[in-house]
Amino acid sequence: DVQYIHSSIQKPSAEITKALKLDQNVDIFKSYKIFTADMKPIIYCVNTMPLSLFDKKFIEELTDNPSALEPLYDVLKNKCNLYVENHLSRIHPATAENCDFFGGLPLEKGTPILVIDAIAYDTHGHPLFHTFEYTTDNEITYELIRRRTPGS
């Protein structure tokens, strides 16, 4: 299940402008949500995407009902004709109080978490959206495929 905590239309931060290759004057949609399993929070998620991905009618719907973005990959494919080809992700440890989540993460100060800082790209290599995912210990197992890059 997905629980929306907060969403808003705003101007992008310098970090998002750079990551998504946006002009600072564009509007973005930023949402804070929690993915749960058996009513237990598993992933705290912050998604940021340019409004230019959507038509005006869908933007109005998002304003009233942010859950209209779920499931995100299906919405991008069916409403925007965009396919998420891959994510470039950085994974690092942090503590709960050092994370950007609306109202702060509902965890004790000092609680260790895993941060996934990712940019989703379409089939042409264009950035679509940015996401922060925060998970606590023992909730999720990740398996990675690591490849050598040419010349390494």
Side-chain angles (χ1 to χ4, degrees):
D1 292 332
V2 179
Q3 176 187 2
Y4 272 83
I5 304 302
H6 180 76
S7 62
S8 63
I9 294 173
Q10 56 189 268
K11 297 296 180 194
S13 67
E15 176 186 38
I16 293 298
T17 299
K18 182 178 177 183
L20 297 180
K21 299 178 182 169
L22 300 173
D23 182 279
Q24 287 184 328
N25 296 319
V26 303
D27 287 327
I28 57 155
F29 182 77
K30 189 169 187 177
S31 64
Y32 300 83
K33 55 191 174 182
I34 301 172
F35 290 88
T36 62
D38 298 325
M39 307 274 299
K40 182 179 178 184
I42 302 297
I43 301 171
Y44 300 88
C45 182
V46 182
N47 282 337
T48 306
M49 58 199 65
L51 283 181
S52 59
L53 295 177
F54 310 113
D55 64 31
K56 185 177 179 179
K57 182 179 177 186
F58 189 67
I59 292 169
E60 290 173 7
E61 183 179 351
L62 273 180
T63 304
D64 295 332
N65 179 21
S67 66
L69 261 180
E70 297 300 328
L72 178 57
Y73 297 107
D74 291 347
V75 170
L76 290 172
K77 182 180 176 188
N78 299 328
K79 290 199 177 280
C80 309
N81 199 30
L82 294 168
Y83 179 78
V84 176
E85 179 73 22
N86 59 55
H87 291 260
L88 178 59
S89 303
R90 292 180 328 137
I91 302 170
H92 61 91
T95 55
E97 70 274 9
N98 293 316
C99 296
D100 172 32
F101 196 79
F102 186 77
L105 291 176
L107 302 168
E108 288 185 34
K109 184 177 179 179
T111 300
I113 59 168
L114 189 64
V115 179
I116 300 175
D117 178 352
I119 301 169
Y121 292 89
D122 68 10
T123 54
H124 303 289
H126 300 122
L128 295 174
F129 65 91
H130 178 270
T131 187
F132 279 116
E133 293 180 4
Y134 309 116
T135 61
T136 57
D137 61 333
N138 301 320
E139 301 299 340
I140 294 179
T141 299
Y142 294 96
E143 293 184 23
L144 304 174
I145 297 174
R146 296 173 59 188
R147 294 190 176 117
R148 282 183 58 186
T149 56
S152 63

